[in-house]
Amino acid sequence: MFDLAVFGSLFLTLFVIMDPPGITPIFLALTSGRPAKVQRRMAWQAVAVAFGVITVFGILGQQILAYLHVSVPALMIAGGLLLLLIALDLLTGKTDEPKQTKDVNVALVPLGMPLLAGPGAIVSVILAVQHAKGVEDQISVWVAIAAMHGVLWLTMRYSLVIIRVIKDGGVVLVTRLAGMMLSAIAVQQIINGVTQVIQGA
């Protein structure tokens, strides 16, 4: 009742898209300055939100997009613009001001969505569920999704050790690095969306 090929294919695809090693500096930047207990909770919340979003779109993705008359390229462009706004805040240091982030749960936005459960991951899951014909394939798909989110949680949960090593100065450096990485991801996502719109025209 398990297809290793289907599992491996989707797991590797999601690993590349969701990029657990790459999300580490962004997670550290967005959660810096908070107590360790809060950071651990935010890691769990981010993964839970991402898993919830991925699950909903895996089951009802096509129907949701069709009902809202939203195309996949539009979803990609919107996600890219949102990520770009967050990246600019990280680059300019606005997130260093407590009043900007004190009451904002970054575990929900942008960590849970669209960083983890972004357009790329959503589309990959929708297609994987579509192509999974039998019960065996469906089980393999959902096990791959669950396993990927387990990896994400472990990566963020234990990346908190890094903060204790790099101290405040290192956190500032990581924040700027995360902003630069995130801006590149956002721009690439927008380019991909625009390219698909042009190709479909």
Side-chain angles (χ1 to χ4, degrees):
M1 295 296 290
F2 188 82
D3 191 322
L4 189 59
V6 172
F7 169 86
S9 175
L10 181 57
F11 182 85
L12 288 175
T13 300
L14 290 178
F15 190 92
V16 171
I17 294 172
M18 300 175 109
D19 190 17
I23 205 69
T24 299
I26 299 171
F27 173 75
L28 293 177
L30 291 172
T31 61
S32 63
R34 292 175 169 84
K37 184 178 179 181
V38 174
Q39 290 174 318
R40 287 193 294 270
R41 186 174 71 241
M42 292 176 88
W44 168 252
Q45 288 175 336
V47 171
V49 168
F51 184 75
V53 171
I54 290 291
T55 299
V56 169
F57 275 94
I59 298 171
L60 302 170
Q62 280 193 313
Q63 293 89 330
I64 292 173
L65 294 180
Y67 178 77
L68 296 175
H69 302 290
V70 173
S71 65
V72 171
L75 187 65
M76 295 177 71
I77 294 170
L81 290 172
L82 178 58
L83 289 181
L84 189 57
L85 290 174
I86 296 159
L88 292 174
D89 278 349
L90 291 175
L91 283 169
T92 57
K94 288 184 179 179
T95 53
D96 293 338
E97 301 173 21
K99 65 180 182 180
Q100 299 247 350
T101 58
K102 183 179 179 182
D103 299 319
V104 176
N105 190 349
V106 296
L108 307 181
V109 177
L111 278 174
M113 184 178 181
L115 275 176
L116 299 181
I122 288 173
V123 172
S124 297
V125 168
I126 291 175
L127 293 176
V129 171
Q130 265 187 322
H131 294 150
K133 301 302 181 183
V135 176
E136 183 176 313
D137 285 358
Q138 289 286 349
I139 291 174
S140 304
V141 164
W142 289 105
V143 170
I145 292 170
M148 185 65 248
H149 284 80
V151 171
L152 286 167
W153 178 79
L154 288 171
T155 303
M156 290 189 290
R157 168 67 177 79
Y158 291 101
S159 67
L160 298 177
V161 178
I162 298 173
I163 289 182
R164 292 198 289 271
V165 175
I166 63 177
K167 308 298 182 183
D168 291 342
V171 168
V172 173
L173 179 62
V174 167
T175 300
R176 301 297 181 267
L177 175 63
M180 188 166 61
M181 291 170 53
L182 195 54
S183 62
I185 292 171
V187 170
Q188 186 61 57
Q189 193 163 292
I190 293 170
I191 291 172
N192 292 344
V194 171
T195 301
Q196 288 191 25
V197 170
I198 295 172
Q199 289 175 344

